[in-house]
Amino acid sequence: GQNIDQPTEMTATEGAIVQINCTYQTSGFNGLFWYQQHAGEAPTFLSYNVLDGLEEKGRFSSFLSRSKGYSYLLLKELQMKDSASYLCVVLDSNYQLIWGAGTKLIIKP
Amino acid sequence: GAVVSQHPSRVICKSGTSVKIECRSLDFQATTMFWYRQFPKQSLMLMATSNEGSKATYEQGVEKDKFLINHASLTLSTLTVTSAHPEDSSFYICSAALRQGSDNSPLHFGNGTRLTVT
């Protein structure tokens, strides 16, 4: 079967760094997305990885290891507005989206 | 950047009526559009995948006769909730992808439609 695992909830302090991990087992692989979603809103695209390695974009970075079926989203200099759910999504060989359940990130002052 | 327009943003309808939700890709041709439903405090659930000019592929458990999807052009897909019932009240979101050979473009999401069936 197809499966995406990520922690249900994480807590971090404002100004700190947090890493959200995601492991996946899917039928083929056409890329991995990270999305941010605030309550009541549509998800917002953060990153897309299809090759191994680290992609840095401002305070957010995303890493992928295809051989390990593993990715992480790194958030630096955390701000209160970063409190949201972070969704790990894999595009399989049929371009079907396989969604993780999301990680709720709570930022404390 | 690419934009997906979803309309309406909110709709209230009476039980037994049908509601149509439109999803348009404004500045790119979307060969594939996805329809999602979000229940409160839960992740997005993929309902169906539609490819332009062909029948939509529905996820297990989604009634294709109840949730009619039409993807007649490369810029427009519609979701019609037929004979709506209060349990259909939810947040429906569409997204569009440009699928071109090995070009794996990010998905672009609409702003969602909040459906309330009374």
Side-chain angles (χ1 to χ4, degrees):
Chain A
Q2 310 212 85
N3 191 49
I4 302 243
D5 287 314
Q6 55 181 125
T8 304
E9 187 175 295
M10 299 182 70
T11 302
T13 305
E14 189 178 15
I17 299 173
V18 71
Q19 177 175 310
I20 303 174
N21 295 323
C22 171
T23 58
Y24 62 90
Q25 301 90 38
T26 58
S27 301
F29 180 82
N30 266 314
L32 185 145
F33 303 87
W34 282 97
Y35 284 89
Q36 179 191 63
Q37 185 178 28
H38 288 100
E41 298 178 10
T44 302
F45 169 78
L46 292 178
S47 67
Y48 171 71
N49 294 67
V50 67
L51 299 176
D52 290 347
L54 185 68
E55 297 273 346
E56 297 185 78
K57 191 183 297 184
R59 294 189 299 115
F60 294 1
S61 302
S62 58
F63 171 82
L64 174 68
S65 169
R66 289 171 296 172
S67 62
K68 295 181 179 179
Y70 168 70
S71 172
Y72 68 73
L73 179 69
L74 190 71
L75 294 80
K76 303 176 183 177
E77 301 170 15
L78 287 171
Q79 301 174 10
M80 296 303 293
K81 67 178 182 180
D82 296 330
S83 292
S85 286
Y86 291 86
L87 303 167
C88 174
V89 187
V90 173
L91 200 60
D92 72 7
S93 57
N94 293 317
Y95 288 88
Q96 292 289 317
L97 294 172
I98 314 301
W99 290 81
T103 298
K104 183 179 180 181
L105 178 63
I106 300 169
I107 309 296
K108 294 185 175 181
Chain B
V3 177
V4 171
S5 173
Q6 186 172 341
H7 177 81
S9 57
R10 292 177 182 272
V11 58
I12 300 172
C13 69
K14 291 185 177 180
S15 185
T17 61
S18 295
V19 175
K20 180 184 283 188
I21 302 169
E22 291 189 349
C23 182
R24 294 180 183 272
S25 57
L26 297 185
D27 58 358
F28 68 103
Q29 294 182 327
T31 54
T32 306
M33 285 189 173
F34 305 92
W35 286 95
Y36 303 92
R37 178 175 180 177
Q38 184 175 37
F39 293 94
K41 299 181 181 180
Q42 294 186 33
S43 181
L44 291 174
M45 303 296 292
L46 178 64
M47 297 175 65
T49 302
S50 72
N51 293 298
E52 185 266 339
S54 62
K55 290 184 178 180
T57 302
Y58 289 81
E59 296 300 303
Q60 191 173 11
V62 178
E63 299 176 60
K64 60 179 66 177
D65 294 331
K66 181 169 184 62
F67 298 100
L68 301 178
I69 291 172
N70 183 281
H71 192 164
S73 76
L74 286 170
T75 59
L76 174 65
S77 177
T78 59
L79 168 67
T80 302
V81 183
T82 62
S83 188
H85 290 285
E87 56 265 31
D88 298 326
S89 297
S90 189
F91 196 36
Y92 294 86
I93 303 171
C94 73
S95 72
L98 172 60
R99 196 167 104 190
Q100 188 176 33
S102 60
D103 178 21
N104 297 302
S105 301
L107 296 182
H108 303 283
F109 282 88
N111 288 330
T113 297
R114 186 167 297 282
L115 171 64
T116 303
V117 184
T118 61

